[in-house]
Amino acid sequence: MSGKETILVIGSCGQLGTELVESLQKIYGAAQVIAADIRRSNNPVFQNGPFEILDILDQKRLTEIVAKYKPTQVYHLAALLSATAEQKPEFGWKLNMDGLFNVLNLARDGGIIKKIYWPSSIAVFGPNTIRNNTPQYGAMDPTTIYGISKNAGELYAQYYFNRWGIDVRSLRYPGLIGYKSAPGGGTTDYAVQIYHDALEGKTHECFLSEQTTLPMLYMPDALKATLDIMHTPAADIKIRTSYNLAGMSFNPTEISEAIKQIIPDFSITYNPDYRQAIADSWPAIIDDSRAREDWGWNPAYTLESMSKDMIDNLRARKSQAN
Ligand code: NAD
């Protein structure tokens, strides 16, 4: 990858951004990766390279940062996630849509940004979607404000590509699971917390019911998919809304069984809350064959190998901290 690229990561301090910034620093060099967020993070990764405070709703500030660093690529990650957006639906729509417009319009009008990454989600699907092997194209009737905003955002991304040639690339992430950074208010967050509880010897009280199967992806695979789609020649990106993407699917019982293989005393109880209805409107298993065909997507981790890696790494971090 060329050292001439400069990358701006907006919403860099979240679950995905923290790890993505680290990966981008390794590829492009830390000085070439500008991290930006509405808040600061004390994660050491942000001390390696430039950091700017940015509210993505502030178009003037975004324009200043782009003029200062001249990023050729933008990863726009700032969003209100599914569970949080249900608490503040109007603001969820505003942040998710206006933030995207600010980035798209600056790419169209500013002549600096050449490529944009903007994540979508399995939340674009709804109750009338086929739940098992959910196809790339089919019924999309999201019931959450988060899903509605991602669905509209996908169509806008495609519109800006068709109308003005803006090179936007997107993946419909399933639930992301990682050990380096905390999740930010999604319906799949339990699948991260459960490992922390297991290591602390606590019973995990699950906010979803035991048979709720959802698609998930381990963070190293999510980073690989994100970087792969951004490094694919533009002509091979055939889908300009967003690609279905998957790694594995499991329910809370299955993940707890995988944890028990490593921590036999682990226990789980169930106390579903408002997030159950969100999960019930989402697919269980995703068909990501288009990503496999178009740009070679192939996830490495299974539930078992992810569980081992999560627990090994969380244990190592815990013993370093003590
Ligand atoms: P997160 O909530 O952990 O991080 C979002 C970051 O955006 C936070 O650091 C937050 O401070 C920042 N932010 C919020 N408002 C901002 C504003 N006005 N201006 C600038 N920054 C602002 O989210 P994440 O899990 O890292 O998700 C990143 C992207 O991936 C989002 O678009 C999300 O919809 C998508 N996604 C995530 C998941 C998942 O499971 N984590 C699944 C599907 C899609």
Side-chain angles (χ1 to χ4, degrees):
M1 246 44 70
S2 149
K4 288 178 208 134
E5 298 280 330
T6 302
I7 327 280
L8 173 63
V9 183
I10 301 167
S12 59
C13 298
Q15 188 194 11
L16 175 64
T18 303
E19 299 215 30
L20 192 59
V21 165
E22 192 181 1
S23 298
L24 289 166
Q25 287 175 344
K26 283 185 191 141
I27 298 171
Y28 294 96
Q32 297 306 110
V33 182
I34 295 83
D37 202 291
I38 200 166
R39 66 181 167 106
R40 283 188 187 278
S41 160
N42 56 15
N43 191 300
V45 78
F46 297 103
Q47 278 147 32
N48 298 337
F51 180 85
E52 295 282 348
I53 288 287
L54 167 67
D55 177 351
I56 191 54
L57 296 177
D58 183 347
Q59 174 75 306
K60 188 166 162 278
R61 175 89 179 118
L62 174 65
T63 307
E64 281 167 12
I65 290 173
V66 168
K68 178 175 172 187
Y69 294 100
K70 304 199 166 26
T72 48
Q73 300 180 33
V74 172
Y75 287 74
H76 170 41
L77 312 177
L80 221 55
L81 268 60
S82 58
T84 316
E86 286 310 286
Q87 312 300 316
K88 303 178 197 168
E90 286 174 7
F91 183 67
W93 174 261
K94 185 174 173 55
L95 177 61
N96 295 1
M97 296 311 297
D98 290 352
L100 177 60
F101 286 138
N102 285 348
V103 174
L104 290 175
N105 288 339
L106 193 54
R108 182 191 59 192
D109 303 334
I112 295 171
I113 300 162
K114 303 292 176 227
K115 219 193 278 186
I116 296 168
Y117 179 75
W118 170 80
S120 184
S121 159
I122 57 160
V124 295
F125 298 113
N128 290 297
T129 299
I130 297 168
R131 293 199 75 226
N132 287 319
N133 287 326
T134 302
Q136 176 70 38
Y137 298 105
M140 291 171 84
D141 54 348
T143 53
T144 60
I145 204 68
Y146 176 71
I148 296 168
S149 70
K150 291 293 186 186
N151 194 5
E154 286 189 4
L155 294 169
Y156 270 109
Q158 180 179 250
Y159 182 81
Y160 273 67
F161 174 75
N162 287 340
R163 178 128 190 227
W164 293 295
I166 305 302
D167 187 355
V168 194
R169 299 159 184 221
S170 180
L171 300 170
R172 290 174 183 154
Y173 290 134
L176 302 181
I177 299 171
Y179 59 86
K180 291 188 185 171
S181 45
T187 302
T188 52
D189 289 4
Y190 91 86
V192 177
Q193 186 59 41
I194 197 168
Y195 289 105
H196 290 268
D197 288 346
L199 270 172
E200 283 166 28
K202 287 189 199 157
T203 295
H204 177 73
E205 185 179 289
C206 191
F207 59 70
L208 298 180
S209 70
E210 49 198 302
Q211 296 307 326
T212 309
T213 299
L214 288 171
M216 304 276 186
L217 189 61
Y218 193 33
M219 194 59 89
D221 276 334
L223 295 170
K224 181 168 118 63
T226 307
L227 296 167
D228 282 358
I229 193 175
M230 283 297 272
H231 295 154
T232 295
D236 293 335
I237 308 294
K238 309 283 187 204
I239 293 174
R240 289 294 180 164
T241 49
S242 189
Y243 277 91
N244 274 11
L245 188 80
M248 60 190 87
S249 283
F250 55 78
N251 64 36
T253 310
E254 288 163 338
I255 188 175
S256 66
E257 289 304 318
I259 292 172
K260 275 187 209 162
Q261 297 293 315
I262 306 165
I263 304 175
D265 290 345
F266 174 65
S267 62
I268 181 167
T269 59
Y270 298 92
N271 188 11
D273 66 15
Y274 68 99
R275 287 167 282 197
Q276 184 67 44
I278 301 177
D280 288 342
S281 75
W282 287 357
I285 300 168
I286 298 284
D287 172 0
D288 61 3
S289 51
R290 287 300 306 269
R292 292 168 188 263
E293 285 159 21
D294 289 0
W295 44 273
W297 167 237
N298 189 16
Y301 284 88
T302 61
L303 173 57
E304 286 68 32
S305 57
M306 172 180 77
S307 295
K308 181 174 181 325
D309 203 62
M310 277 292 284
I311 290 168
D312 285 352
N313 279 292
L314 285 173
R315 268 189 183 138
R317 286 163 82 93
K318 217 174 158 187
S319 69
Q320 269 168 18
N322 291 336

